[in-house]
Amino acid sequence: MAEREWPGAALPDDEGLIRISGSIEHVIYANEDNGYCISDMGTDDDELITIVGTMPFLTEGEQVVVYGKWVHNPKFGRQFAVQTYEKILPADENAILQYLSARNIKGIGPKTAARIVEAYGADSFDVIENHPDWLAEIKGISYKAACKIQEEFRAQAGMRSVMLFFRTFFGPSTTMRIYKKWGSAAVDIAKHNPYRLCDEIQGVGFDRADAIAERLGLAKDSEARIGSGVRYLLSTNAAQNGHVCLPREKLVGGAAALLGVDTQLTDAAVSRLLSLELLKYSRIAGDQYIYLADAYDDEKYIAEKLLELNRTCAALSARDIERFIEGEENESGITYAAQQKQAIYDALRSGVMLLTGGPGTGKTTVVRALLNIFERMGYKVALAAPTGRAAMRMSSACAREAKTIHRLLEMEYAEGEQMRFVRDEDNLLGENVIIVDEASMIDSALMSALLRAVKPGARLILIGDADQLPSVGAGKVLWDLIDCGRFSTVRLTEIFRQAQSSLIITNAHRINAGEYPELGVKNNDFFFLPRSSEHEIVATIADLWCNRLPRSYGAEMRSRIQVISPSRKGGAGTEALNRVLQQALNPPSVEKREFVFRDVTFREGDRVMQTKNNYDLEWERDGKQGQGIFNGDIGVIETIDPHDRVLWINFDGKQVRYDYQGIEELEHAYAVTVHKSQGSEYPVVILPAYSCAQLLLTRNLLYTAVTRAQSMVIIVGRAEIVQMMVDNNRQSMRYTGLAVRLALEKAEDAQ
């Protein structure tokens, strides 16, 4: 039997969307914050269908036209997923009365609606919108109430016009953000200068704003377009490559290529933006380096605050420090190595101290000693790390609470507002000592935020492995602080006896020294399985996870494994691996609900990763509540609720509720890239060694991957790829001015 033709199926628009018109019979669910709605709709063909999507201010009795596609919900069957919609206001008196009686406008109920329509008939909407004084003549409506009714009606009308104007450019959720930012003025603002969208609205890129400008007929050489393009190049293209700033020549040339205009125009735009202080510059080695204003201010503040901390810290005498170290050795029963003693000594003498070194070199031992000494001195100490997993690891190693930097600074986020930290220059942290682990992951913006909250005279101790990959965000703070020579720096190089038996540690140090790792040793914690093709690599990884490792080490091994790949792309990249591993580890089941998003199936039991910082996601753990799930956090989908269209995900004990729309920020995490694994450790790491982009086959990427493992590393693939990575000591170039700024400050101090 042929499938029945659904209403509107024969009326696709130019974008392939189906158009259906009708009236809202029942609103099943509505989220006032993001506009998401589930409703029953009676079509003009007398069918009752369920529509789902972002449809703010939708109420029962309204006439609407919806555009979208049919989807299948595993529990509720066929539904119509709305991508955009229009409200159609009724024109005749009976329809107006029905609309107003349905309480579509706050302040108007059935009795008041009848009085309004009786008095003004078909002109009722005009009176409500434009003549509140006339509306106040109706019994039961004061002038103040009439003005509130007018405001509500205009807000709904404005939302309709905004949704209609932007529907061909953005999805409903982005349009909702635009409306919350600018209200009914959004259309006029976009028409006057569409580039304000990418400058001021989160999630709107320059390409989208440029498409709107082209549709509106704006000239390609307009000041607004070129100025926005220059800023976009700095904020997005440059920042994604780790640059805090760019040489003026590179910025001018890059912007001209991006915009398809002459370099004279982009150079003039840079000068104009500098005069407006939207851009700022530093002169480095005779060249102008251009920054976004906020990035410049952050870098300048970092330099000034670090020098202040180093200058104002009350240093202990050498005799007192030696006494403290001897006391700690007697108390702990540990005799510290020379480098460890030097690190403890420098941390007690300095306002800012940097401790770096590879695995097994005793960084944690130094931190424990410092904690004990500082506590005996009566100092309050804060432990922090950039990521939740790193903070948990620090807590476990030091037997004291460690927080993420965001939590330490008491991050908060309100709908429609930028993330902010409660702790800043006006609300300083109370601790005398701040110890931060995994400092290689700290970008320029986060370091600035941290330093703004550190009180004068406090000590800052930064711990990290300078040979790992740099931060995902812009900057290379730890390297700049080491390179400038301004602060006490101790690099631990001695591998201690208990660590020498670990092939993970010894191979990590071999890799870091430019030597090939030992791949032929058996019965240890570092294994190499040679495979030639990418297909063989992926099949072997799946077999290891599903069968071989659980058979040898127990079923619990399955939860301890993490696959880390150099790249997203390729036959053994994370995208391919995640498809295979999901099918092998969490196949379809009648007992597991699932949700399909952009051809990707998410299923109960899936391991997933958050791909961007989301500061307003709320979580609950052990009765405590908080906000924020961050880029790189890994969790497991515990429940998919198709009725409420939500997922519940467990992130290391944090229970988080996601609307279906939030799934765009998730991806499967059976396999993750090395960059995404930074700051985390896993009991077992499996690494595919295959041919991918040369920029990714580097020594520090291999070193970072290997050092993510706590108990076991298994490399599957080609030995020549491993050797190629060791030989390729290419370091990614990042433009920053921090090291130069600090070195110049040092030179000026010397004068």
Side-chain angles (χ1 to χ4, degrees), residues 303-315 346-347 349-354 456-460 485-488 742 749:
E304 292 174 349
K305 184 62 175 281
L306 287 173
L307 293 173
E308 177 194 345
L309 290 175
N310 220 31
R311 185 172 56 249
T312 59
C313 174
D346 286 2
R349 287 277 293 177
S350 310
V352 177
M353 186 265 183
L354 314 173
R459 285 178 168 82
L460 178 67
R486 194 69 172 91
F487 307 106
S488 173
L742 286 164
D749 287 351

PDB file of all heavy atoms in Angstrom, residues 303-315 346-347 349-354 456-460 485-488 742 749:
ATOM      1  N   ALA A 303      51.270  40.873  32.024  1.00  0.00           N
ATOM      2  CA  ALA A 303      52.657  41.284  32.267  1.00  0.00           C
ATOM      3  C   ALA A 303      52.764  42.146  33.522  1.00  0.00           C
ATOM      4  O   ALA A 303      53.628  41.917  34.385  1.00  0.00           O
ATOM      5  CB  ALA A 303      53.197  42.032  31.052  1.00  0.00           C
ATOM      6  N   GLU A 304      51.880  43.125  33.634  1.00  0.00           N
ATOM      7  CA  GLU A 304      51.959  44.051  34.767  1.00  0.00           C
ATOM      8  C   GLU A 304      51.681  43.343  36.096  1.00  0.00           C
ATOM      9  O   GLU A 304      52.382  43.567  37.085  1.00  0.00           O
ATOM     10  CB  GLU A 304      50.970  45.199  34.558  1.00  0.00           C
ATOM     11  CG  GLU A 304      51.345  46.121  33.405  1.00  0.00           C
ATOM     12  CD  GLU A 304      50.274  47.161  33.114  1.00  0.00           C
ATOM     13  OE1 GLU A 304      49.158  47.015  33.673  1.00  0.00           O
ATOM     14  OE2 GLU A 304      50.540  48.097  32.334  1.00  0.00           O
ATOM     15  N   LYS A 305      50.680  42.465  36.110  1.00  0.00           N
ATOM     16  CA  LYS A 305      50.304  41.823  37.372  1.00  0.00           C
ATOM     17  C   LYS A 305      51.354  40.803  37.813  1.00  0.00           C
ATOM     18  O   LYS A 305      51.675  40.705  39.005  1.00  0.00           O
ATOM     19  CB  LYS A 305      48.942  41.153  37.219  1.00  0.00           C
ATOM     20  CG  LYS A 305      48.391  40.520  38.511  1.00  0.00           C
ATOM     21  CD  LYS A 305      48.171  41.574  39.604  1.00  0.00           C
ATOM     22  CE  LYS A 305      47.498  40.968  40.843  1.00  0.00           C
ATOM     23  NZ  LYS A 305      46.046  40.798  40.649  1.00  0.00           N
ATOM     24  N   LEU A 306      51.912  40.056  36.865  1.00  0.00           N
ATOM     25  CA  LEU A 306      52.942  39.083  37.228  1.00  0.00           C
ATOM     26  C   LEU A 306      54.170  39.779  37.805  1.00  0.00           C
ATOM     27  O   LEU A 306      54.766  39.319  38.792  1.00  0.00           O
ATOM     28  CB  LEU A 306      53.327  38.246  36.017  1.00  0.00           C
ATOM     29  CG  LEU A 306      52.299  37.200  35.566  1.00  0.00           C
ATOM     30  CD1 LEU A 306      52.725  36.564  34.250  1.00  0.00           C
ATOM     31  CD2 LEU A 306      52.113  36.120  36.634  1.00  0.00           C
ATOM     32  N   LEU A 307      54.569  40.877  37.188  1.00  0.00           N
ATOM     33  CA  LEU A 307      55.722  41.614  37.712  1.00  0.00           C
ATOM     34  C   LEU A 307      55.423  42.189  39.094  1.00  0.00           C
ATOM     35  O   LEU A 307      56.290  42.200  39.976  1.00  0.00           O
ATOM     36  CB  LEU A 307      56.100  42.733  36.736  1.00  0.00           C
ATOM     37  CG  LEU A 307      56.647  42.259  35.385  1.00  0.00           C
ATOM     38  CD1 LEU A 307      56.820  43.430  34.437  1.00  0.00           C
ATOM     39  CD2 LEU A 307      57.968  41.518  35.569  1.00  0.00           C
ATOM     40  N   GLU A 308      54.190  42.643  39.277  1.00  0.00           N
ATOM     41  CA  GLU A 308      53.804  43.162  40.595  1.00  0.00           C
ATOM     42  C   GLU A 308      53.847  42.058  41.649  1.00  0.00           C
ATOM     43  O   GLU A 308      54.371  42.263  42.763  1.00  0.00           O
ATOM     44  CB  GLU A 308      52.390  43.747  40.526  1.00  0.00           C
ATOM     45  CG  GLU A 308      51.881  44.244  41.881  1.00  0.00           C
ATOM     46  CD  GLU A 308      50.385  44.504  41.879  1.00  0.00           C
ATOM     47  OE1 GLU A 308      49.780  44.587  40.801  1.00  0.00           O
ATOM     48  OE2 GLU A 308      49.814  44.604  42.983  1.00  0.00           O
ATOM     49  N   LEU A 309      53.312  40.884  41.335  1.00  0.00           N
ATOM     50  CA  LEU A 309      53.336  39.779  42.289  1.00  0.00           C
ATOM     51  C   LEU A 309      54.769  39.388  42.641  1.00  0.00           C
ATOM     52  O   LEU A 309      55.086  39.109  43.805  1.00  0.00           O
ATOM     53  CB  LEU A 309      52.596  38.567  41.711  1.00  0.00           C
ATOM     54  CG  LEU A 309      51.081  38.677  41.568  1.00  0.00           C
ATOM     55  CD1 LEU A 309      50.520  37.443  40.873  1.00  0.00           C
ATOM     56  CD2 LEU A 309      50.408  38.863  42.925  1.00  0.00           C
ATOM     57  N   ASN A 310      55.618  39.365  41.648  1.00  0.00           N
ATOM     58  CA  ASN A 310      57.011  38.982  41.893  1.00  0.00           C
ATOM     59  C   ASN A 310      57.737  40.019  42.743  1.00  0.00           C
ATOM     60  O   ASN A 310      58.631  39.688  43.529  1.00  0.00           O
ATOM     61  CB  ASN A 310      57.729  38.808  40.557  1.00  0.00           C
ATOM     62  CG  ASN A 310      58.667  37.628  40.560  1.00  0.00           C
ATOM     63  OD1 ASN A 310      58.422  36.646  41.246  1.00  0.00           O
ATOM     64  ND2 ASN A 310      59.744  37.716  39.791  1.00  0.00           N
ATOM     65  N   ARG A 311      57.317  41.276  42.579  1.00  0.00           N
ATOM     66  CA  ARG A 311      57.985  42.371  43.287  1.00  0.00           C
ATOM     67  C   ARG A 311      57.503  42.509  44.729  1.00  0.00           C
ATOM     68  O   ARG A 311      58.275  42.853  45.625  1.00  0.00           O
ATOM     69  CB  ARG A 311      57.731  43.674  42.519  1.00  0.00           C
ATOM     70  CG  ARG A 311      58.470  44.890  43.080  1.00  0.00           C
ATOM     71  CD  ARG A 311      58.333  46.087  42.156  1.00  0.00           C
ATOM     72  NE  ARG A 311      56.939  46.420  41.893  1.00  0.00           N
ATOM     73  CZ  ARG A 311      56.314  46.271  40.741  1.00  0.00           C
ATOM     74  NH1 ARG A 311      56.961  45.739  39.711  1.00  0.00           N
ATOM     75  NH2 ARG A 311      55.044  46.604  40.578  1.00  0.00           N
ATOM     76  N   THR A 312      56.209  42.235  44.978  1.00  0.00           N
ATOM     77  CA  THR A 312      55.623  42.537  46.289  1.00  0.00           C
ATOM     78  C   THR A 312      55.584  41.348  47.230  1.00  0.00           C
ATOM     79  O   THR A 312      55.247  41.512  48.405  1.00  0.00           O
ATOM     80  CB  THR A 312      54.190  43.065  46.107  1.00  0.00           C
ATOM     81  OG1 THR A 312      53.407  42.074  45.419  1.00  0.00           O
ATOM     82  CG2 THR A 312      54.183  44.352  45.311  1.00  0.00           C
ATOM     83  N   CYS A 313      55.913  40.148  46.743  1.00  0.00           N
ATOM     84  CA  CYS A 313      55.849  38.971  47.601  1.00  0.00           C
ATOM     85  C   CYS A 313      56.918  39.046  48.693  1.00  0.00           C
ATOM     86  O   CYS A 313      58.067  39.409  48.434  1.00  0.00           O
ATOM     87  CB  CYS A 313      56.055  37.710  46.766  1.00  0.00           C
ATOM     88  SG  CYS A 313      56.168  36.213  47.747  1.00  0.00           S
ATOM     89  N   ALA A 314      56.523  38.695  49.911  1.00  0.00           N
ATOM     90  CA  ALA A 314      57.467  38.686  51.034  1.00  0.00           C
ATOM     91  C   ALA A 314      58.279  37.394  50.991  1.00  0.00           C
ATOM     92  O   ALA A 314      57.760  36.313  51.292  1.00  0.00           O
ATOM     93  CB  ALA A 314      56.715  38.805  52.354  1.00  0.00           C
ATOM     94  N   ALA A 315      59.550  37.493  50.600  1.00  0.00           N
ATOM     95  CA  ALA A 315      60.396  36.303  50.458  1.00  0.00           C
ATOM     96  C   ALA A 315      60.905  35.850  51.823  1.00  0.00           C
ATOM     97  O   ALA A 315      61.169  36.660  52.719  1.00  0.00           O
ATOM     98  CB  ALA A 315      61.560  36.606  49.532  1.00  0.00           C
ATOM     99  N   ASP A 346      62.734  27.880  45.388  1.00  0.00           N
ATOM    100  CA  ASP A 346      62.321  29.007  44.540  1.00  0.00           C
ATOM    101  C   ASP A 346      60.868  29.392  44.781  1.00  0.00           C
ATOM    102  O   ASP A 346      60.506  30.576  44.739  1.00  0.00           O
ATOM    103  CB  ASP A 346      62.520  28.658  43.065  1.00  0.00           C
ATOM    104  CG  ASP A 346      63.989  28.678  42.652  1.00  0.00           C
ATOM    105  OD1 ASP A 346      64.846  28.926  43.526  1.00  0.00           O
ATOM    106  OD2 ASP A 346      64.274  28.428  41.465  1.00  0.00           O
ATOM    107  N   ALA A 347      60.009  28.390  45.035  1.00  0.00           N
ATOM    108  CA  ALA A 347      58.602  28.690  45.283  1.00  0.00           C
ATOM    109  C   ALA A 347      58.425  29.473  46.573  1.00  0.00           C
ATOM    110  O   ALA A 347      57.525  30.323  46.679  1.00  0.00           O
ATOM    111  CB  ALA A 347      57.799  27.394  45.343  1.00  0.00           C
ATOM    112  N   ARG A 349      60.719  31.509  47.786  1.00  0.00           N
ATOM    113  CA  ARG A 349      61.434  32.785  47.649  1.00  0.00           C
ATOM    114  C   ARG A 349      60.753  33.749  46.687  1.00  0.00           C
ATOM    115  O   ARG A 349      61.010  34.952  46.738  1.00  0.00           O
ATOM    116  CB  ARG A 349      62.852  32.519  47.123  1.00  0.00           C
ATOM    117  CG  ARG A 349      63.803  31.914  48.128  1.00  0.00           C
ATOM    118  CD  ARG A 349      64.439  32.930  49.019  1.00  0.00           C
ATOM    119  NE  ARG A 349      65.344  33.818  48.299  1.00  0.00           N
ATOM    120  CZ  ARG A 349      65.990  34.840  48.860  1.00  0.00           C
ATOM    121  NH1 ARG A 349      65.807  35.096  50.145  1.00  0.00           N
ATOM    122  NH2 ARG A 349      66.793  35.593  48.157  1.00  0.00           N
ATOM    123  N   SER A 350      59.863  33.235  45.801  1.00  0.00           N
ATOM    124  CA  SER A 350      59.397  34.034  44.667  1.00  0.00           C
ATOM    125  C   SER A 350      57.903  34.297  44.733  1.00  0.00           C
ATOM    126  O   SER A 350      57.130  33.501  45.283  1.00  0.00           O
ATOM    127  CB  SER A 350      59.717  33.316  43.353  1.00  0.00           C
ATOM    128  OG  SER A 350      61.073  32.906  43.307  1.00  0.00           O
ATOM    129  N   GLY A 351      57.514  35.397  44.112  1.00  0.00           N
ATOM    130  CA  GLY A 351      56.094  35.686  43.967  1.00  0.00           C
ATOM    131  C   GLY A 351      55.480  34.898  42.837  1.00  0.00           C
ATOM    132  O   GLY A 351      54.309  34.521  42.887  1.00  0.00           O
ATOM    133  N   VAL A 352      56.280  34.645  41.793  1.00  0.00           N
ATOM    134  CA  VAL A 352      55.827  33.843  40.653  1.00  0.00           C
ATOM    135  C   VAL A 352      56.887  32.788  40.394  1.00  0.00           C
ATOM    136  O   VAL A 352      58.071  33.105  40.256  1.00  0.00           O
ATOM    137  CB  VAL A 352      55.626  34.709  39.387  1.00  0.00           C
ATOM    138  CG1 VAL A 352      55.221  33.829  38.203  1.00  0.00           C
ATOM    139  CG2 VAL A 352      54.574  35.784  39.634  1.00  0.00           C
ATOM    140  N   MET A 353      56.463  31.533  40.330  1.00  0.00           N
ATOM    141  CA  MET A 353      57.414  30.442  40.113  1.00  0.00           C
ATOM    142  C   MET A 353      56.827  29.470  39.093  1.00  0.00           C
ATOM    143  O   MET A 353      55.630  29.169  39.125  1.00  0.00           O
ATOM    144  CB  MET A 353      57.707  29.720  41.432  1.00  0.00           C
ATOM    145  CG  MET A 353      58.799  28.663  41.328  1.00  0.00           C
ATOM    146  SD  MET A 353      58.107  27.031  41.052  1.00  0.00           S
ATOM    147  CE  MET A 353      59.615  26.055  41.066  1.00  0.00           C
ATOM    148  N   LEU A 354      57.661  28.988  38.174  1.00  0.00           N
ATOM    149  CA  LEU A 354      57.239  28.069  37.119  1.00  0.00           C
ATOM    150  C   LEU A 354      57.935  26.738  37.326  1.00  0.00           C
ATOM    151  O   LEU A 354      59.162  26.691  37.447  1.00  0.00           O
ATOM    152  CB  LEU A 354      57.604  28.638  35.744  1.00  0.00           C
ATOM    153  CG  LEU A 354      57.255  30.114  35.509  1.00  0.00           C
ATOM    154  CD1 LEU A 354      57.823  30.585  34.175  1.00  0.00           C
ATOM    155  CD2 LEU A 354      55.752  30.316  35.540  1.00  0.00           C
ATOM    156  N   PRO A 456      47.282  41.237  45.834  1.00  0.00           N
ATOM    157  CA  PRO A 456      48.689  41.665  45.894  1.00  0.00           C
ATOM    158  C   PRO A 456      49.417  40.953  47.034  1.00  0.00           C
ATOM    159  O   PRO A 456      48.865  40.761  48.118  1.00  0.00           O
ATOM    160  CB  PRO A 456      48.583  43.174  46.152  1.00  0.00           C
ATOM    161  CG  PRO A 456      47.242  43.555  45.613  1.00  0.00           C
ATOM    162  CD  PRO A 456      46.349  42.386  45.866  1.00  0.00           C
ATOM    163  N   GLY A 457      50.657  40.572  46.772  1.00  0.00           N
ATOM    164  CA  GLY A 457      51.457  39.895  47.789  1.00  0.00           C
ATOM    165  C   GLY A 457      51.301  38.392  47.807  1.00  0.00           C
ATOM    166  O   GLY A 457      52.055  37.700  48.498  1.00  0.00           O
ATOM    167  N   ALA A 458      50.330  37.863  47.051  1.00  0.00           N
ATOM    168  CA  ALA A 458      50.144  36.413  47.012  1.00  0.00           C
ATOM    169  C   ALA A 458      51.190  35.767  46.113  1.00  0.00           C
ATOM    170  O   ALA A 458      51.832  36.427  45.292  1.00  0.00           O
ATOM    171  CB  ALA A 458      48.738  36.076  46.517  1.00  0.00           C
ATOM    172  N   ARG A 459      51.373  34.463  46.280  1.00  0.00           N
ATOM    173  CA  ARG A 459      52.283  33.697  45.430  1.00  0.00           C
ATOM    174  C   ARG A 459      51.481  32.959  44.356  1.00  0.00           C
ATOM    175  O   ARG A 459      50.396  32.435  44.631  1.00  0.00           O
ATOM    176  CB  ARG A 459      53.068  32.684  46.256  1.00  0.00           C
ATOM    177  CG  ARG A 459      54.195  33.277  47.096  1.00  0.00           C
ATOM    178  CD  ARG A 459      54.857  32.177  47.912  1.00  0.00           C
ATOM    179  NE  ARG A 459      56.103  32.629  48.512  1.00  0.00           N
ATOM    180  CZ  ARG A 459      56.179  33.326  49.633  1.00  0.00           C
ATOM    181  NH1 ARG A 459      55.068  33.655  50.278  1.00  0.00           N
ATOM    182  NH2 ARG A 459      57.357  33.705  50.116  1.00  0.00           N
ATOM    183  N   LEU A 460      52.059  32.893  43.156  1.00  0.00           N
ATOM    184  CA  LEU A 460      51.469  32.133  42.066  1.00  0.00           C
ATOM    185  C   LEU A 460      52.483  31.102  41.600  1.00  0.00           C
ATOM    186  O   LEU A 460      53.596  31.456  41.203  1.00  0.00           O
ATOM    187  CB  LEU A 460      51.076  33.055  40.908  1.00  0.00           C
ATOM    188  CG  LEU A 460      50.496  32.357  39.673  1.00  0.00           C
ATOM    189  CD1 LEU A 460      49.135  31.744  39.996  1.00  0.00           C
ATOM    190  CD2 LEU A 460      50.373  33.332  38.511  1.00  0.00           C
ATOM    191  N   GLY A 485      62.548  34.840  30.726  1.00  0.00           N
ATOM    192  CA  GLY A 485      63.632  34.836  31.707  1.00  0.00           C
ATOM    193  C   GLY A 485      63.376  35.713  32.911  1.00  0.00           C
ATOM    194  O   GLY A 485      64.298  36.024  33.674  1.00  0.00           O
ATOM    195  N   ARG A 486      62.147  36.096  33.101  1.00  0.00           N
ATOM    196  CA  ARG A 486      61.806  37.063  34.164  1.00  0.00           C
ATOM    197  C   ARG A 486      61.494  36.392  35.490  1.00  0.00           C
ATOM    198  O   ARG A 486      61.590  37.011  36.540  1.00  0.00           O
ATOM    199  CB  ARG A 486      60.606  37.887  33.699  1.00  0.00           C
ATOM    200  CG  ARG A 486      60.330  39.134  34.523  1.00  0.00           C
ATOM    201  CD  ARG A 486      61.430  40.160  34.297  1.00  0.00           C
ATOM    202  NE  ARG A 486      61.134  41.438  34.900  1.00  0.00           N
ATOM    203  CZ  ARG A 486      61.483  41.792  36.128  1.00  0.00           C
ATOM    204  NH1 ARG A 486      62.109  40.942  36.921  1.00  0.00           N
ATOM    205  NH2 ARG A 486      61.208  43.000  36.579  1.00  0.00           N
ATOM    206  N   PHE A 487      61.097  35.108  35.428  1.00  0.00           N
ATOM    207  CA  PHE A 487      60.599  34.457  36.634  1.00  0.00           C
ATOM    208  C   PHE A 487      61.392  33.189  36.931  1.00  0.00           C
ATOM    209  O   PHE A 487      61.941  32.546  36.033  1.00  0.00           O
ATOM    210  CB  PHE A 487      59.110  34.107  36.466  1.00  0.00           C
ATOM    211  CG  PHE A 487      58.275  35.280  36.060  1.00  0.00           C
ATOM    212  CD1 PHE A 487      57.795  35.387  34.760  1.00  0.00           C
ATOM    213  CD2 PHE A 487      57.991  36.298  36.956  1.00  0.00           C
ATOM    214  CE1 PHE A 487      57.038  36.473  34.374  1.00  0.00           C
ATOM    215  CE2 PHE A 487      57.238  37.387  36.575  1.00  0.00           C
ATOM    216  CZ  PHE A 487      56.761  37.482  35.277  1.00  0.00           C
ATOM    217  N   SER A 488      61.421  32.843  38.191  1.00  0.00           N
ATOM    218  CA  SER A 488      62.108  31.635  38.620  1.00  0.00           C
ATOM    219  C   SER A 488      61.477  30.423  37.939  1.00  0.00           C
ATOM    220  O   SER A 488      60.264  30.220  38.000  1.00  0.00           O
ATOM    221  CB  SER A 488      61.990  31.491  40.140  1.00  0.00           C
ATOM    222  OG  SER A 488      62.510  30.259  40.556  1.00  0.00           O
ATOM    223  N   LEU A 742      57.477  41.300  28.623  1.00  0.00           N
ATOM    224  CA  LEU A 742      58.099  41.024  29.920  1.00  0.00           C
ATOM    225  C   LEU A 742      59.607  41.229  29.867  1.00  0.00           C
ATOM    226  O   LEU A 742      60.207  41.743  30.820  1.00  0.00           O
ATOM    227  CB  LEU A 742      57.778  39.593  30.349  1.00  0.00           C
ATOM    228  CG  LEU A 742      56.340  39.367  30.832  1.00  0.00           C
ATOM    229  CD1 LEU A 742      56.006  37.886  30.857  1.00  0.00           C
ATOM    230  CD2 LEU A 742      56.139  39.977  32.215  1.00  0.00           C
ATOM    231  N   ASP A 749      63.759  47.637  34.032  1.00  0.00           N
ATOM    232  CA  ASP A 749      64.072  47.552  35.457  1.00  0.00           C
ATOM    233  C   ASP A 749      65.575  47.622  35.689  1.00  0.00           C
ATOM    234  O   ASP A 749      66.055  48.236  36.644  1.00  0.00           O
ATOM    235  CB  ASP A 749      63.535  46.232  36.034  1.00  0.00           C
ATOM    236  CG  ASP A 749      62.019  46.249  36.158  1.00  0.00           C
ATOM    237  OD1 ASP A 749      61.426  47.323  35.968  1.00  0.00           O
ATOM    238  OD2 ASP A 749      61.440  45.179  36.440  1.00  0.00           O
TER     239      ASP A 749
END
